[in-house]
Amino acid sequence: MMDVIFYNASQVVTVASGGRARSGAEMRDIGVIEDGAVAIKDGKFTYVGPSDGIDISDADRSINAFGKTLLPGLVDSHTHLVFAGAREEEFARRIAGATYAEIAASGGGINTTVKATRAASKIELIEYALHRLDSCLGFGATTVEIKSGYGLDFENEIKMLEVINELKDLHVVEIIPTFLGAHTIPFDYKERREEYLRLVLDEMLPEVASRGLAEYCDVFVEKGAFSLDEGREIFTKARDLGLKVRVHADQITPGGGSELAADMQAASADHLDNISDEGIARMKASGTVATLLPGVSLFLGEEYPDARRLIDAGLPVSVATDVNPGSCMSENMQLMMSLAALQMRMTMEEVITASTINAAAAVDRAATHGSIEEGKQADLLMFDTPNFQRILYHYGVNHLNTVVKHGNVVMEKRYANA
Ligand code: NIG
Ligand code: FE
C-alpha cells in the first residue's frame, strides 16, 4: 500500500539525472512524462511513470492531477532570510538613483541590517524567518540554504546560526545552514580589519565547527568586502575544521572569486556577473555549480549575468533567490525562474534543471533531492498548469497547488465553497 499516488498528471517533469548535476546541453533534457503518475511511500518515490502503469486503489490517498504539472520540490540554494529590520528607505534612495555600492559606502547596506539583527532577540528572528520560510514554501522551495552574516561579531553570528538551526525543528522546509561571518567588515571594526579577521578565523570558525552549527562556510569575495587572500585563508581554515565551501564571487567586479571557489572545491560559486574565462574553465574542472541570482539584477536594476555563456561553456548552472533585505527582497522562486528565461535567455528546460537538480547539487544533495526518481526523497510540487512552460510564461503569479515534503502533503490550495 502506497501513502500517496498522484495520477493523470498532464506532465510529470522528472529531471531524472542519476543523482548528479547536469551541465551544458544536458540541462535541456528534463524527462517529461505525459499523463504521468507518481507514487510515494515512507518519504520516498516508489513509482514514476505513465498513469496506466499503476493501480491507484493501492494507496491511502490518491490525488487526481488531471490538467496539472508535477515537478520536484525546488531548492533555493542561496538565501539570507534570517534578519531583522527592513530597508525601504534605502530602496527609495536607489529608486531615486543612488547605487547599492554608494549606499553601502555611506554606512548603509549590510551594516543597517547588522544593527537591527544584533538588537533583535532569537525569538524575534525566528518569528520573522518563519514567515519568510512560509513564503519560500508557498512558491515551491522545499529545501532552503540560509546564511548568517548579519551578526558580524562572535555573539551575534552564533545567535544567527542557533536561530537557523532551531528553524529546522519549527518549519517543514529543509534548511541548510551556512556561516557567513565574512560578509563585510562590520561598522564597529572599520578601523580594526585585522582584528575582525582574527575573530572570524580564531574564534567564530572553531565555535561553529565544534558545535556543528553550519554545513558551509561562505565569504563575500569582493572589493570593499574580503580580498582573495583573506577568502583563501578563511576557506582553508574552514575546510580544515570540516566545513564545506560556497562563495559570493565576481558579483560587482571580476575579482578572481570563481577561481578561488574552484581551488577550494566549492559546491557552488554564486552571482558570477563578472566571471572570467579562466574562472569558467576552473569551475568546470572542479565541478563547482554556477549559481545565478536574477532577482538581484532585477532589484538593483543591473545587467543580468550571462547564463548562456556559462551553459554553453559546459558549466552546471543553477538559479536561486538570494532573499535578503538589500539586494533581493523576494522569496519567489517562480519569479526567479521567469526572470532566468526572460532576462538571462535560458531555455525553459534549462531553467527547470537550474532550480531543481542543479540547485540540489549546489548544496551537495543531487543524490537525494532535486528530481523525481524512484528511491529519492519525495519532495514534490503540483502546479495548476497544464505544462511546465506555463509556470514561467504566465509570470508574476503563484501557480502552486500542492506541496509534498519528505512524503507528507504539507500544503494544499483550497477555496471556500461559494
Ligand atoms: O548576496 N553580496 C552580498 N550580500 C548580499 C546582500 C546583502 C545585503 O545587502 O544585506 C547579496 O547580494
Ligand atoms: Fe547573497
Side-chain angles (χ1 to χ4, degrees):
M1 193 67 138
M2 299 298 144
D3 297 333
V4 197
I5 293 178
F6 289 82
Y7 63 100
N8 280 353
S10 166
Q11 292 187 338
V12 179
V13 182
T14 64
V15 208
S17 74
R20 55 176 188 83
R22 295 189 149 247
S23 307
E26 285 185 319
M27 284 184 67
R28 298 191 277 278
D29 178 8
I30 58 172
V32 176
I33 300 170
E34 313 261 333
D35 192 7
V38 173
I40 294 166
K41 187 177 174 58
D42 296 334
K44 297 213 156 86
F45 294 120
T46 50
Y47 176 85
V48 187
S51 284
D52 58 13
I54 188 160
D55 174 7
I56 61 166
S57 66
D58 181 34
D60 288 339
R61 182 166 181 206
S62 46
I63 295 174
N64 188 346
F66 183 77
K68 302 194 192 299
T69 293
L70 303 181
L71 239 65
L74 305 177
V75 177
D76 190 349
S77 68
H78 183 141
T79 86
H80 308 249
L81 67 71
V82 171
F83 62 86
R87 313 221 298 257
E88 291 94 341
E89 248 173 77
E90 293 181 6
F91 185 60
R93 280 171 66 192
R94 280 202 302 99
I95 291 169
T99 67
Y100 181 80
E102 282 164 7
I103 289 169
S106 70
I110 294 170
N111 272 313
T112 304
T113 302
V114 169
K115 287 172 192 159
T117 303
R118 285 182 183 174
S121 68
K122 276 173 69 173
I123 307 248
E124 286 173 276
L125 290 175
I126 286 171
E127 205 51 47
Y128 303 141
L130 286 173
H131 280 287
R132 294 180 195 125
L133 283 170
D134 283 346
S135 194
C136 294
L137 185 73
F139 287 109
T142 49
T143 301
V144 171
E145 184 260 14
I146 310 177
K147 303 171 200 297
S148 68
Y150 291 122
L152 304 189
D153 62 21
F154 183 87
E155 180 195 334
N156 288 292
E157 277 300 298
I158 299 303
K159 176 178 83 178
M160 280 196 76
L161 287 171
E162 286 173 353
V163 164
I164 294 168
N165 282 281
E166 283 170 38
L167 290 169
K168 291 178 182 172
D169 295 327
L170 298 172
H171 205 284
V172 70
V173 166
E174 193 174 333
I175 289 161
I176 299 158
T178 293
F179 169 61
L180 180 60
H183 195 186
T184 193
I185 299 287
F187 62 93
D188 47 347
Y189 282 84
K190 208 143 212 109
E191 314 305 323
R192 300 182 285 155
R193 183 180 192 87
E194 196 48 41
E195 211 178 303
Y196 188 70
L197 276 166
R198 298 290 9 135
L199 189 63
V200 170
L201 286 160
D202 302 338
E203 290 175 50
M204 295 186 196
L205 267 175
E207 176 81 0
V208 170
S210 72
R211 291 180 55 195
L213 290 172
E215 182 172 333
Y216 290 95
C217 176
D218 193 341
V219 174
F220 186 18
V221 177
E222 186 63 57
K223 229 181 248 161
F226 293 87
S227 72
L228 269 185
D229 286 345
E230 290 165 346
R232 186 178 299 279
E233 193 178 359
I234 292 166
F235 286 138
T236 303
K237 174 87 184 239
R239 291 212 312 168
D240 284 348
L241 290 168
L243 291 163
K244 294 182 285 186
V245 168
R246 48 199 320 104
V247 190
H248 278 75
D250 302 325
Q251 179 184 359
I252 302 163
T253 52
S258 42
E259 290 89 332
L260 176 63
D263 274 5
M264 292 290 143
Q265 299 289 318
S268 179
D270 302 26
H271 286 285
L272 306 179
D273 303 68
N274 293 286
I275 188 172
S276 68
D277 289 338
E278 172 71 10
I280 292 176
R282 300 265 287 276
M283 277 177 54
K284 196 173 164 185
S286 66
T288 300
V289 174
T291 298
L292 306 182
L293 308 164
V296 175
S297 309
L298 174 76
F299 201 74
L300 298 184
E302 284 167 359
E303 236 181 88
Y304 286 77
D306 191 349
R308 278 263 58 81
R309 175 171 163 241
L310 304 187
I311 295 172
D312 294 345
L315 279 182
V317 166
S318 159
V319 168
T321 60
D322 198 10
V323 181
N324 75 78
S327 71
C328 184
M329 190 66 160
S330 173
E331 301 92 339
N332 186 345
M333 273 295 284
Q334 289 174 57
L335 176 61
M336 304 311 151
M337 292 164 76
S338 288
L339 289 175
L342 285 165
Q343 301 294 322
M344 302 200 301
R345 295 182 303 119
M346 292 170 68
T347 72
M348 289 186 271
E349 291 80 4
E350 288 168 347
V351 172
I352 296 291
T353 297
S355 41
T356 57
I357 192 68
N358 282 6
V363 287
D364 296 299
R365 279 161 173 77
T368 48
H369 295 57
S371 61
I372 308 175
E373 293 178 83
E374 285 166 28
K376 281 188 111 175
Q377 177 169 312
D379 296 352
L380 182 75
L381 309 177
M382 180 164 78
F383 287 93
D384 282 324
T385 63
N387 53 54
F388 71 89
Q389 291 94 336
R390 188 73 60 87
I391 303 167
L392 280 62
Y393 159 63
H394 187 171
Y395 80 102
V397 295
N398 192 351
H399 296 285
L400 193 58
N401 179 295
T402 298
V403 181
V404 176
K405 179 63 187 175
H406 214 152
N408 299 310
V409 178
V410 295
M411 196 204 92
E412 286 180 89
K413 188 157 112 186
R414 288 192 203 281
Y415 296 105
N417 263 338

